[in-house]
Amino acid sequence: MTVPESPPDSELVARCLGNDQNAWNALVDRYAPLVYGIARRHRLDDDEAADVFQQVFLIVYRELHSLKSHEALAGWLITITRRECLRLLRFSPPATELDEDVVDELAYEQIERNRWEERQAVARAMQELDPRCRELLTALFLIEPPLTYAQLSAKLSIPPGSIGPTRARCFEKLQSILKKYGFDGAR
């Protein structure tokens, strides 16, 4: 399984501003999990989360030209998404309330940015793993529903008793790649 190298945000933004439909699709695909994740953390249901998603990317489409730093795309999306969630909640019936412990906007944005950067680093690190480790970790943690060890053994031609030790070695490799990206697990 080969994962294609994805362009940096700055390149995607430049291509979007040039009306490249493939770049728009890639941008939406890249950030859809972030937008939906924020909406779900605001306890929005599926329909409300879909409304926020649609509104966020409509704003991005209309206002992308105003983004001063293309590298700030993730933070900008976090801010837009949070504001759209709060706007929706403000006009929702009182039964849908935001947790009282929601942190202030700057702290919230930093938390979301850190989560997003960690996910991106893991995705890049997974691309750098050797194919055997990438396939094993993907099968163990990214495929739904998860495979049993017997299914993994058959699929990957690994004896069932070797899956655990192989997984541990693959995690060590992944951790060393993540350290290269500045993620040492202390976050």
Side-chain angles (χ1 to χ4, degrees):
M1 172 177 89
T2 304
V3 179
E5 187 70 28
S6 49
D9 285 348
S10 57
E11 181 183 325
L12 262 185
V13 170
R15 289 176 41 205
C16 287
L17 290 171
N19 294 321
D20 180 338
Q21 186 60 49
N22 290 331
W24 279 108
N25 295 342
L27 185 138
V28 171
D29 288 346
R30 179 178 292 176
Y31 285 104
L34 176 68
V35 171
Y36 275 110
I38 294 170
R40 298 307 284 176
R41 279 191 284 287
H42 278 83
R43 298 183 183 215
L44 300 180
D45 64 27
D46 290 342
D47 291 336
E48 292 167 329
D51 289 345
V52 166
F53 174 85
Q54 188 172 24
Q55 189 61 30
V56 165
F57 284 102
L58 180 61
I59 292 168
V60 170
Y61 179 77
R62 289 180 179 161
E63 301 297 327
L64 188 60
H65 67 278
S66 68
L67 182 63
K68 291 180 176 106
S69 171
H70 295 178
E71 290 79 24
L73 179 63
W76 189 54
L77 275 164
I78 291 166
T79 300
I80 293 169
T81 304
R82 181 172 183 276
R83 288 179 181 164
E84 287 304 307
C85 289
L86 294 174
R87 184 188 59 74
L88 186 82
L89 287 167
R90 188 172 34 241
F91 296 109
S92 293
T96 306
E97 293 183 14
L98 190 59
D99 285 345
E100 292 177 18
D101 61 348
V102 173
V103 293
D104 71 311
E105 188 168 322
L106 291 176
Y108 180 85
E109 181 180 330
Q110 188 58 47
I111 290 166
E112 289 299 324
R113 186 182 318 231
N114 288 346
R115 285 180 183 156
W116 183 251
E117 288 173 356
E118 288 170 359
R119 285 186 205 120
Q120 294 295 5
V122 170
R124 284 194 314 266
M126 286 287 288
Q127 291 176 4
E128 291 185 31
L129 283 174
D130 60 82
R132 179 181 168 125
C133 280
R134 184 172 46 245
E135 191 172 13
L136 175 63
L137 294 179
T138 297
L140 281 168
F141 301 105
L142 301 176
I143 292 177
E144 290 293 331
L147 301 176
T148 65
Y149 270 29
Q151 292 169 322
L152 280 170
S153 175
K155 177 181 169 108
L156 303 176
S157 301
I158 299 174
S162 296
I163 292 173
T166 303
R167 179 190 64 204
R169 286 190 298 276
C170 291
F171 271 133
E172 287 175 13
K173 292 175 186 178
L174 184 65
Q175 186 175 18
S176 70
I177 295 168
L178 286 169
K179 282 183 183 179
K180 179 174 73 172
Y181 289 127
F183 292 93
D184 60 6
R187 288 181 183 221

